[in-house]
Amino acid sequence: MDIRLGDVLLMKKPHPCGEKRWLVLRTGMDFRLRCLGCGREVLLPRSKAEKNIRGVLRPSDEKN
């Protein structure tokens, strides 16, 4: 799965604050993610994170 820094991941289950969107801060064997609802940061193993991803929202690469 192609996940890049700055992507927003839409997860299957919501965070306890109710938000399902997470910002990618670090990639590699682990993902560092920041909840876009409350700002909490978590470090997840790549395999667990990829299993729970429903969609990827990527900022546009076009520059005007």
Side-chain angles (χ1 to χ4, degrees), residues 1-61:
M1 189 168 245
D2 182 34
I3 305 296
R4 301 179 201 155
L5 294 179
D7 288 350
V8 175
L9 304 178
L10 188 63
M11 303 302 256
K12 291 180 182 176
K13 293 184 180 178
H15 189 246
C17 74
E19 183 64 60
K20 288 186 176 185
R21 296 174 304 140
W22 294 81
L23 177 66
V24 178
L25 301 175
R26 180 183 146 202
T27 60
M29 288 298 292
D30 297 319
F31 285 157
R32 179 171 297 278
L33 305 173
R34 178 181 295 146
C35 176
L36 292 177
C38 63
R40 171 83 59 177
E41 291 186 12
V42 296
L43 192 63
L44 288 175
R46 185 180 193 100
S47 59
K48 185 171 183 173
E50 285 184 345
K51 185 171 27 171
N52 292 318
I53 294 172
R54 177 153 294 173
V56 178
L57 306 172
R58 188 160 283 148
S60 65
D61 294 307

